[in-house]
Amino acid sequence: DAASLFAPRIEWSLNLLIAIVSTIFFFYSSSPRVRQTYLVSEILLLIIDYAKMLPPGAQQRLLGMISQEIEQFIADLGENNEDNIEAINLLFVHCTLGPQYQLNQLTFSKALGFRLENGLFSIPKEFGYFQIVSSIYVNSRTLKSDDITNLLTTHVALLFKQSPNWKIKTELVMLLLDISTCPVISKAQRQEVIKSALGHFVATHNLGTRVTKFQKVAERSRWFFNWNQEIDVSDVLRRKELKTPY
């Protein structure tokens, strides 16, 4: 029958792709760089798309192997990377594998670059716009951890409290508008972030009113990150890659 006819070809292609993935991670792990991450991620996305057309057994074997390689890479990277852009890019790839390959909270948090101290996670000061919105999005699509969402939201509020000149910093303006419309963050948390930002130049007795007005205006549209849309991961990686030389 057709299944037995194509079985040898499927097995051959499966073994070839497994060898390719192993080779990619072998060389990539020796010198992880942001530029290489985009290329590795693009290749993995193509392989994942192909894997999803394979019979269930072959599909599970290939996707499971990719998941293990990404997890191992993240574990090896640890806290040696300053901003963990490489790990976050691979998290985008990992979330396309499917819910059965979901990372646990500890691995996920380490991949984001969170630091574990006395049993509690903290976020590095250098955690910027791309890392914050990417982390919130990937968490909402995979782990759905309230702890991670709360930690990120607290970090953002603190970021604005410590940045009186945020209005002249492009990434902070983008961050404020995107957080103000983020559906996975509670309204109270969004208002707390806005209050932290507006508190630098709005009198205390007017702050509540101004926060409400700002939120109403911000919620009229999606700004720089469309939270409700299913992201084309390859498109996100290409746009981030173009940002690097800029």
Side-chain angles (χ1 to χ4, degrees):
D1 60 356
S4 60
L5 178 65
F6 287 104
R9 297 182 184 182
I10 291 173
E11 185 67 20
W12 182 87
S13 63
L14 177 62
N15 290 333
L16 176 62
L17 289 173
I18 287 175
I20 290 173
V21 172
S22 297
T23 304
I24 287 172
F25 275 98
F26 174 77
F27 286 106
Y28 176 50
S29 61
S30 64
S31 181
R33 295 288 185 274
V34 174
R35 166 66 179 166
Q36 286 94 312
T37 309
Y38 298 125
L39 300 176
V40 168
S41 299
E42 287 283 358
I43 295 170
L44 290 176
L45 287 172
L46 291 173
I47 294 174
I48 290 168
D49 285 343
Y50 175 77
K52 290 180 179 179
M53 296 186 290
L54 294 173
Q59 179 184 140
Q60 186 176 9
R61 190 173 154 199
L62 183 53
L63 294 183
M65 184 260 190
I66 292 173
S67 177
Q68 289 174 3
E69 289 286 358
I70 291 176
E71 288 188 48
Q72 186 59 53
F73 175 84
I74 289 170
D76 292 342
L77 196 62
E79 296 180 358
N80 297 325
N81 190 31
E82 286 296 319
D83 51 22
N84 274 33
I85 290 293
E86 293 92 345
I88 290 176
N89 287 342
L90 288 176
L91 277 181
F92 269 103
V93 175
H94 196 279
C95 75
T96 67
L97 293 173
Q100 64 269 44
Y101 301 102
Q102 181 173 290
L103 298 173
N104 61 53
Q105 184 165 321
L106 179 61
T107 303
F108 191 90
S109 299
K110 286 185 175 180
L112 297 179
F114 296 174
R115 291 169 185 157
L116 185 60
E117 298 173 358
N118 300 320
L120 298 173
F121 281 107
S122 62
I123 299 178
K125 291 180 180 179
E126 60 271 16
F127 215 67
Y129 170 79
F130 249 125
Q131 291 131 305
I132 292 169
V133 295
S134 298
S135 301
I136 292 173
Y137 177 84
V138 175
N139 177 53
S140 71
R141 287 294 190 272
T142 56
L143 201 59
K144 295 180 172 62
S145 167
D146 290 336
D147 290 340
I148 289 177
T149 301
N150 293 339
L151 187 61
L152 287 162
T153 307
T154 301
H155 170 75
V156 173
L158 183 61
L159 197 60
F160 281 104
K161 282 182 181 178
Q162 298 173 342
S163 305
N165 298 319
W166 63 265
K167 289 190 295 181
I168 61 173
K169 297 179 180 179
T170 304
E171 287 202 351
L172 287 180
V173 173
M174 293 167 62
L175 182 60
L176 180 61
L177 290 169
D178 281 340
I179 291 296
S180 299
T181 60
C182 180
V184 301
I185 297 175
S186 70
K187 184 174 182 179
Q189 287 176 313
R190 280 180 274 147
Q191 288 180 334
E192 191 61 34
V193 170
I194 298 169
K195 188 184 296 183
S196 298
L198 300 186
H200 293 294
F201 48 88
V202 175
T204 304
H205 65 279
N206 284 332
L207 190 55
T209 303
R210 292 293 294 274
V211 167
T212 302
K213 287 182 178 179
F214 182 94
Q215 192 164 29
K216 285 182 179 179
V217 172
E219 288 175 347
R220 289 175 185 172
S221 65
R222 289 289 178 259
W223 296 88
F224 306 98
F225 196 97
N226 191 344
W227 300 103
N228 294 336
Q229 183 174 315
E230 195 67 39
I231 281 183
D232 180 344
V233 176
S234 61
D235 180 60
V236 170
L237 292 169
R238 275 194 294 272
R239 285 189 281 114
K240 290 175 73 178
E241 182 179 5
L242 289 173
K243 181 179 182 289
T244 303
Y246 169 78

